[in-house]
Amino acid sequence: MGLPVRGALGRLASVCYMCKSFALGDWMTFAEIFGMPIRIGKYHSGATPEEKATLRRAVANIGTDASAIMPESMKVELLERAKAGGGEELYNGLCDWLDKQMSKGVLGQTMTAEDGSSNSQAQVHNEVRLDICQADCRQLEATINRYVVEPYVKLNYGDKEIMPRFKLPLAESEDLEALTKGLEVLVPLGLRVPTAQIREKYALREPQKGEEILTAATTRENPPEDTDVALNSQQFHEHDEIIDELEDWQDQMIPVLSPLQALIAETETESEFIEQLPGLLSEMDSRELVEALARAAFKKRGEGNTDG
């Protein structure tokens, strides 16, 4: 209520600005006459106004031009100013103090506007700055919701029990290195972490189709010396080579697939096909195919043992 300048930050800033303006004016006056002697002009009791004006001009000229003329009947005395130590620091300290009060009132801290002294001080001031920023965001959200969002909804859609809310996201700095180390320990223990949340923490988007992505480098490790030599066959893509050994595999698959193809042609519905499917096992002849697979697997295992 009342004038805005009388409340909140306006009162603090206006008072500090006014006092600083006075201090600067006095400081300039002090700097102008600092070190100069006091000049006193004396005139006789019967001096006329013209003579007094002449004396005043003479005293003023002595201060600026270091020279002046005046009648012989007048007298000027120069009194040395007393040396008051630290007088020039009074106005400097006052202006500096007023600046700091305005910085703390508006920013909540002086680290970003004044000089700091340590890293711990900078961290404390940064926390204060973040607190004020969060408070400003909450106040701005409340203002926009009250005077923009709610009137718009009521005018266009009527009263609603649940109103949409405007919210300002405020990103806070996090120690991503500590987060990464924690995930390296917890994920192998079974902690389930959504990848979308981690991408959000690191400000990384989902890769698009066809984009080149980073992958971990993989190296093929040799098995230990005391490992079963039969494992050597795993180093040679045994499945592909076994298939190469089956020269007539297409002909060998015909006795297995023929009953299945015949059932598909005879049945009309899915349920009918599923009901008759278990009976096909007795009609499928897979002996030739199984024997060929066994021979090829035995041969490749023998080659693996020999290479080992």
Side-chain angles (χ1 to χ4, degrees):
M1 300 298 293
L3 296 176
V5 75
R6 292 184 177 179
L9 296 176
R11 183 181 181 86
L12 170 64
S14 60
V15 172
C16 290
Y17 176 79
M18 177 187 65
C19 294
K20 183 180 178 181
S21 299
F22 293 158
L24 284 174
D26 295 338
W27 196 1
M28 294 301 100
T29 302
F30 176 82
E32 184 179 1
I33 63 174
F34 179 74
M36 298 180 62
I38 300 177
R39 305 173 300 279
I40 301 177
K42 297 182 178 180
Y43 56 87
H44 55 84
S45 58
T48 62
E50 291 76 9
E51 294 176 336
K52 295 179 181 179
T54 301
L55 179 60
R56 179 178 297 276
R57 288 193 299 270
V59 172
N61 291 337
I62 291 177
T64 58
D65 300 335
S67 63
I69 58 173
M70 53 186 171
E72 186 178 359
S73 59
M74 297 180 182
K75 182 179 180 181
V76 175
E77 294 183 0
L78 300 178
L79 301 180
E80 290 295 332
R81 185 181 298 274
K83 300 297 183 180
E88 68 281 0
E89 296 296 331
L90 171 64
Y91 302 103
N92 185 18
L94 178 59
C95 292
D96 185 58
W97 182 84
L98 291 172
D99 285 340
K100 290 182 179 180
Q101 301 311 306
M102 295 179 66
S103 298
K104 287 187 287 186
V106 178
L107 303 177
Q109 41 82 31
T110 60
M111 193 70 185
T112 56
E114 312 291 340
D115 52 347
S117 59
S118 64
N119 182 48
S120 59
Q121 180 185 4
Q123 294 178 353
V124 172
H125 284 209
N126 183 63
E127 293 178 359
V128 174
R129 179 190 63 81
L130 182 60
D131 292 340
I132 293 180
C133 186
Q134 292 175 342
D136 291 342
C137 287
R138 290 194 296 267
Q139 292 179 356
L140 184 57
E141 290 171 0
T143 301
I144 294 178
N145 287 324
R146 182 181 302 113
Y147 297 109
V148 178
V149 177
E150 293 183 5
Y152 177 82
V153 174
K154 291 180 179 179
L155 287 174
N156 292 276
Y157 305 100
D159 291 335
K160 299 291 183 180
E161 295 183 0
I162 301 178
M163 287 284 184
R165 292 296 173 187
F166 172 79
K167 187 172 182 61
L168 286 173
L170 180 61
E172 300 183 11
S173 59
E174 297 186 32
D175 191 352
L176 297 180
E177 183 178 358
L179 176 62
T180 303
K181 292 181 179 179
L183 292 176
E184 291 176 355
V185 177
L186 297 176
V187 171
L189 295 178
L191 178 65
R192 301 178 62 187
V193 181
T195 56
Q197 184 178 5
I198 303 302
R199 289 184 181 278
E200 182 180 356
K201 294 287 186 182
Y202 284 88
L204 299 175
R205 62 174 177 83
E206 188 74 19
Q208 302 297 323
K209 184 178 180 180
E211 286 186 329
E212 185 178 358
I213 60 175
L214 297 176
T215 57
T218 58
T219 57
R220 186 179 298 276
E221 298 181 357
N222 296 325
E225 294 181 359
D226 57 349
T227 304
D228 187 359
V229 293
L231 295 178
N232 292 336
S233 59
Q234 298 178 3
Q235 310 291 332
F236 300 100
H237 305 286
E238 60 181 4
H239 296 90
D240 296 337
E241 297 184 1
I242 289 176
I243 293 177
D244 294 338
E245 293 290 333
L246 301 176
E247 298 178 356
D248 301 329
W249 65 271
Q250 294 179 346
D251 296 336
Q252 296 167 355
M253 289 292 295
I254 293 177
V256 179
L257 298 178
S258 295
L260 183 62
Q261 293 174 345
L263 180 62
I264 294 175
E266 294 174 357
T267 56
E268 296 180 357
T269 62
E270 180 183 356
S271 59
E272 185 180 356
F273 173 79
I274 294 176
E275 290 178 359
Q276 300 182 25
L277 186 61
L280 293 180
L281 295 178
S282 60
E283 300 180 12
M284 294 180 178
D285 186 6
S286 60
R287 290 176 297 177
E288 185 178 356
L289 177 63
V290 172
E291 291 177 0
L293 288 172
R295 288 194 301 269
F298 180 79
K299 180 179 179 180
K300 300 312 296 182
R301 182 175 291 274
E303 292 177 355
N305 292 340
T306 303
D307 294 338

